[in-house]
Amino acid sequence: MSLFPAIDSLPQSLSLSDLEPLESLAQSAPINDANVSRYYSLLIYSLIINDDIEEARFVLKRTPPAKRIISAGASELTETASSLSTARKILTSLWTKNYLAFFPTIDAALKSVPLESQEANLLRKLVDHVRETNYKFVSHAFLSVSMSDVAVYFGLPDIDAREFLVRKGWNISDEDPLIMTPPTLARESPKAAAQQKARLDSLTSLITHMQRA
Amino acid sequence: MDPQFSLLTVLLSIDFDGAEEVVADSLKDRVLPILQANATAVKAGSEGSFNVNITGVSGDSSSSGSSSKDGGKESSPSAIRDVDKSLAPRYMIAKKDQDDILTRTDPAQVSLLWVLALTAKFSNQVADVSEFFALVNRLFDNISGAQAKLVPEHYRALLYIIAAASDAIEMPILSLRPLLSAALSFSPLHDMLSPAHSLFLIQALKAKQYKLALQLLKYDVDKFDSAYGLTYHDHLRFHYYGAMVFIGMKQYQKAIEYLAIVLCAPGFPCSMVQIEALKKTVLLQLILYGKHTLKLPRMANDFTSHSYRAFARPYDHFAVAFENGDPTILKLVWNQIKGIFSADGNYGLALHALTAFRKQRIQKLRKTFITVTMEYIESKDVDILENGPSTKEFVLAMIADGDLRAKISQKSSTSPITVIFQDASITSSHLDELEAKLNSVRQLNEKIAAADREVGQSREFLNRKLESASTPGGFLGRGAGLEDLEGNDDSMMEL
């Protein structure tokens, strides 16, 4: 079987399509290969960025190093598994929506890798992705929210979170400066609404016809 | 492929023991026409050609087998005959020819010989795993399904060798590519169950490659041919493992459909696979609907129903406590039977059921309130295991996951947090999903109509109808529940 390639020999900017085909090689590489641990951590980050956190979870379960080291509950981390251990912490915090743990873990991970490494590139993309996803969530989930509650979703201090949201069109509440309200969502155009209604009507007729048949 | 060694120059000679004449003759009849149809010239003994000797072997595992041309004895491969004695391969390709086939021919043109050669070479031991998987991947990426089906015993044996070889080195991922290719190449519409289907799924489950498994499960399998050594168990296992994949991917509705197929399978007595399917069905119904029905599908037989009640009683208790809605009782029952869930391998699913219980209590508030304070929700919220997130975090997670349509509002930092329930809005993605479902229903209707016509024209049905027509009382009505053939009246049914 082909040898697993050195991660440093791969392109700086890695995508999921670059990483996925290498998994069968990774599975047959020696367990203590540090490359393999790095590979799996990069694959996990890529999957999360592509909104496939379920698959990221399965990847973690099937990694050969994870099976031997992490699943045994070992508290000591070997150097070869440390990158995978970091990926595990990041994945767990996202899975449990524990953003208080997520952002500090990412910060620590960014400080521990070279600035221009593949890990750093993906970690920065991951942070942006999570912030953007959370922004969409808070815009839909809240009619009004305290700054301290909403800042958690962005991993920012309250003041920075306020500036971030104001730039996005949020307003500070007149009643309480600690409360923020999202911008009003643009209404659907009458034409789009009419098209949707027409489509719904035709599907309803089709279902009625099928029921009679 | 080496241009010198094409199908044109492969000669085939059959050597067989007298007892195997009939079998070997049929192979000769099946194989030679394929080879000759592609040959424009066959030169015996010419440079660049090689002979393939196929020896008939005894199917009896205890015998030493028949003698081959050069006087040696061949016996049925031990690794395979243990799998299924009735399907032990009965042909062996001589060792010296195996490498010739595997290195000098194109598997797309001589898939049959490749299946025979690989089975012969690796049946007892897979010494070089890399070489083995390189060869099987090459075969199954290019296989001619029609040729491989001519030697069903060898084909099936080869699939088992693939699974065993990957299991021996604890790398089930290696077997996935060839097994998936084998399953998909078995029939043009991928709707026929093959020996590879359940093997692939179980390897995918071992390798935790659920997403890859969906590439096979996206095709509905509704054809079955026992000529390939398939049995009732393959049918049960395929749908049971398929349900487990869907459970892993949290596609619970699809999982229930597959488990229903397992539960409906006829059989006496019922299989343990069906018992396990029932247990999972109970938990899935609780997760999706908040209630369960131990009412089996109409097609399930009565004995099966009694067996289910006996074996799945603890699940019944859990479901009753769940539906009752009293968290105290549910906690009591949970503490009594959580060991059973764990022993059955359903502990994870049971935990999901407890989470669903918590969610459903909050969702029920929508029936009574439009706006409610978080404090009130907290008073109604129950975390059975007492180790989950806080009520506020749980409600926010429900909104994020789409389990609760609501918005959170807090007017000031001193005022209470309120939850405002929202009505569902229909989006274009809902309409896309509805259109896709209607299309699949239309296709399913066409398939059912075609199957109905096929059954109605089958000899078995026609004979039965004739018998019933000749006895007083006959069929209950025209077609006995089946649609009449289009434009035909009863007189056309007489042979």
Side-chain angles (χ1 to χ4, degrees):
Chain A
M1 253 168 237
S2 311
L3 288 175
F4 189 77
I7 295 294
D8 291 328
S9 67
L10 298 176
Q12 276 297 94
S13 184
L14 285 169
S15 68
L16 193 56
S17 53
D18 296 322
L19 290 165
E20 273 182 332
L22 297 175
E23 191 176 0
S24 55
L25 288 177
Q27 287 268 331
S28 47
I31 288 168
N32 58 357
D33 187 340
N35 253 331
V36 171
S37 184
R38 285 183 68 194
Y39 163 76
Y40 277 110
S41 61
L42 294 173
L43 180 60
I44 286 168
Y45 300 147
S46 294
L47 284 165
I48 298 171
I49 290 167
N50 282 271
D51 289 322
D52 203 349
I53 195 169
E54 288 277 359
E55 183 63 13
R57 218 173 119 242
F58 290 132
V59 164
L60 186 65
K61 288 186 180 189
R62 62 183 186 243
T63 58
K67 282 181 204 168
R68 305 294 167 93
I69 297 169
I70 294 169
S71 62
S75 55
E76 287 178 15
L77 302 168
T78 63
E79 198 171 305
T80 54
S82 63
S83 50
L84 187 56
S85 180
T86 304
R88 176 173 171 255
K89 283 183 195 163
I90 290 172
L91 178 60
T92 305
S93 59
L94 280 178
W95 182 261
T96 55
K97 297 183 171 60
N98 182 358
Y99 301 109
L100 284 171
F102 169 73
F103 288 103
T105 308
I106 285 264
D107 286 341
L110 275 167
K111 283 173 186 159
S112 68
V113 296
L115 205 59
E116 293 305 319
S117 63
Q118 289 100 335
E119 281 89 342
N121 282 334
L122 281 177
L123 285 169
R124 283 190 289 266
K125 281 185 188 171
L126 181 55
V127 171
D128 291 340
H129 172 78
V130 169
R131 282 203 174 117
E132 193 52 44
T133 307
N134 284 353
Y135 173 72
K136 286 178 188 165
F137 165 67
V138 300
S139 299
H140 283 94
F142 293 97
L143 287 174
S144 53
V145 60
S146 72
M147 239 172 319
S148 55
D149 280 348
V150 80
V152 166
Y153 288 95
F154 306 110
L156 297 168
D158 291 5
I159 294 178
D160 293 342
R162 183 170 70 177
E163 274 179 33
F164 174 76
L165 290 173
V166 163
R167 275 202 303 273
K168 295 257 188 194
W170 283 53
N171 302 306
I172 298 171
S173 167
D174 295 332
E175 292 169 23
D176 188 333
L178 295 176
I179 298 292
M180 299 198 71
T181 56
T184 311
L185 292 171
R187 287 188 174 275
E188 201 177 38
S189 71
K191 187 179 174 187
Q195 280 174 344
Q196 188 144 301
K197 188 177 181 308
R199 202 173 156 202
L200 184 58
D201 288 343
S202 90
L203 286 171
T204 308
S205 311
L206 179 57
I207 292 170
T208 310
H209 169 75
M210 286 174 75
Q211 278 176 330
R212 284 186 193 146
Chain B
M1 188 183 75
D2 188 333
Q4 284 188 312
F5 299 102
S6 67
L7 189 62
L8 306 177
T9 58
V10 171
L11 298 179
L12 191 67
S13 66
I14 306 289
D15 185 28
F16 50 86
D17 182 81
E20 298 292 340
E21 274 183 23
V22 172
V23 177
D25 263 339
S26 70
L27 175 65
K28 189 176 173 183
D29 289 341
R30 287 180 294 176
V31 167
L32 277 180
I34 294 171
L35 297 177
Q36 286 166 359
N38 287 284
T40 57
V42 176
K43 293 181 182 179
S46 62
E47 193 180 356
S49 69
F50 61 92
N51 295 332
V52 176
N53 296 305
I54 297 184
T55 311
V57 298
S58 167
D60 180 0
S61 59
S62 60
S63 78
S64 56
S66 60
S67 53
S68 67
K69 209 176 205 174
D70 43 5
K73 291 204 183 275
E74 301 277 3
S75 62
S76 188
S78 60
I80 302 164
R81 65 168 181 263
D82 290 337
V83 170
D84 190 333
K85 289 189 170 62
S86 66
L87 293 174
R90 284 178 268 199
Y91 314 106
M92 287 282 286
I93 289 186
K95 221 173 227 181
K96 59 184 174 56
D97 296 328
Q98 291 162 14
D99 291 332
D100 273 340
I101 291 169
L102 297 175
T103 56
R104 295 157 78 181
T105 61
D106 179 6
Q109 290 192 356
V110 287
S111 300
L112 185 150
L113 291 180
W114 268 67
V115 171
L116 294 177
L118 283 170
T119 318
K121 184 168 175 154
F122 295 105
S123 59
N124 283 322
Q125 187 191 3
V126 176
D128 187 339
V129 174
S130 304
E131 183 202 6
F132 174 69
F133 279 104
L135 288 170
V136 296
N137 282 330
R138 197 172 153 213
L139 167 63
F140 284 105
D141 286 347
N142 300 288
I143 194 168
S144 158
Q147 283 195 30
K149 284 179 190 175
L150 293 174
V151 281
E153 306 96 336
H154 293 76
Y155 182 76
R156 187 181 167 93
L158 181 58
L159 297 175
Y160 275 95
I161 294 171
I162 291 169
S166 65
D167 285 347
I169 55 172
E170 294 183 1
M171 286 208 285
I173 191 173
L174 294 177
S175 62
L176 295 180
R177 181 178 151 193
L179 289 177
L180 179 60
S181 301
L184 292 177
S185 63
F186 198 72
S187 67
L189 296 176
H190 316 303
D191 57 354
M192 183 178 279
L193 190 67
S194 78
H197 275 67
S198 57
L199 266 179
F200 168 74
L201 286 182
I202 195 168
Q203 295 300 103
L205 286 166
K206 283 181 198 171
K208 300 204 188 324
Q209 289 273 7
Y210 294 85
K211 212 162 133 182
L212 187 66
L214 290 182
Q215 287 191 28
L216 181 63
L217 293 172
K218 64 185 179 187
Y219 302 105
D220 288 328
V221 168
D222 50 30
K223 292 189 173 64
F224 183 97
D225 191 339
S226 57
Y228 305 105
L230 292 170
T231 65
Y232 165 76
H233 297 292
D234 292 287
H235 165 76
L236 289 184
R237 278 196 283 257
F238 170 70
H239 289 99
Y240 180 74
Y241 295 144
M244 286 177 69
V245 170
F246 286 124
I247 290 171
M249 297 299 288
K250 296 197 170 33
Q251 294 180 26
Y252 296 142
Q253 189 58 56
K254 202 69 189 169
I256 286 181
E257 285 175 24
Y258 267 59
L259 292 172
I261 293 172
V262 176
L263 294 175
C264 287
F268 182 91
C270 70
S271 160
M272 281 309 291
V273 177
Q274 291 176 300
I275 302 292
E276 296 305 316
L278 177 77
K279 291 174 182 175
K280 285 184 163 54
T281 302
V282 171
L283 292 174
L284 288 172
Q285 285 179 334
L286 292 177
I287 292 170
L288 281 182
Y289 314 126
K291 57 184 176 181
H292 86 300
T293 48
L294 201 52
K295 187 178 163 186
L296 291 173
R298 193 163 47 96
M299 287 73 80
N301 66 55
D302 290 338
F303 181 83
T304 309
S305 172
H306 291 313
S307 304
Y308 289 165
R309 286 185 189 281
F311 283 101
R313 203 172 295 279
Y315 289 74
D316 207 15
H317 288 323
F318 180 74
V320 167
F322 188 108
E323 283 182 62
N324 178 270
D326 186 337
T328 314
I329 297 175
L330 182 62
K331 190 169 182 176
L332 202 65
V333 172
W334 167 259
N335 287 331
Q336 285 172 350
I337 64 173
K338 60 185 176 184
I340 295 175
F341 289 138
S342 185
D344 289 344
N346 289 325
Y347 191 75
L349 206 52
L351 285 179
H352 282 300
L354 290 182
T355 305
F357 180 80
R358 191 179 179 188
K359 284 184 186 175
Q360 286 161 18
R361 279 179 69 85
I362 294 173
Q363 286 163 344
K364 273 183 190 155
L365 295 173
R366 288 172 52 91
K367 293 182 182 175
T368 314
F369 303 99
I370 293 175
T371 303
V372 66
T373 61
M374 191 64 78
E375 206 179 322
Y376 182 79
I377 296 178
E378 256 180 67
S379 69
K380 297 291 181 187
D381 183 25
V382 171
D383 181 7
I384 299 289
L385 296 178
E386 295 170 3
N387 62 2
S390 66
T391 301
K392 184 179 164 190
E393 286 169 357
F394 192 75
V395 168
L396 284 168
M398 284 177 71
I399 296 172
D401 294 338
D403 292 325
L404 185 69
R405 284 183 293 273
K407 286 188 186 281
I408 310 286
S409 175
Q410 187 175 12
K411 296 286 182 196
S412 72
S413 38
T414 51
S415 62
I417 299 171
T418 52
V419 178
I420 304 153
F421 296 118
Q422 309 271 301
D423 287 328
S425 59
I426 296 177
T427 64
S428 55
S429 65
H430 291 126
L431 296 180
D432 289 340
E433 200 181 323
L434 185 57
E435 251 179 16
K437 291 259 185 239
L438 286 171
N439 277 332
S440 73
V441 166
R442 239 198 312 259
Q443 285 168 10
L444 194 58
N445 273 340
E446 284 166 12
K447 261 189 160 179
I448 291 171
D452 191 33
R453 278 194 292 276
E454 201 178 309
V455 168
Q457 291 169 356
S458 69
R459 185 166 289 274
E460 196 179 324
F461 174 76
L462 293 173
N463 284 340
R464 187 157 176 238
K465 191 150 187 195
L466 274 176
E467 280 168 24
S468 297
S470 63
T471 58
F475 265 151
L476 292 175
R478 291 180 67 201
L482 295 174
E483 296 286 317
D484 277 338
L485 300 176
E486 289 170 280
N488 292 332
D489 58 19
D490 283 345
S491 63
M492 298 272 301
M493 302 291 272
E494 293 174 3
L495 295 170

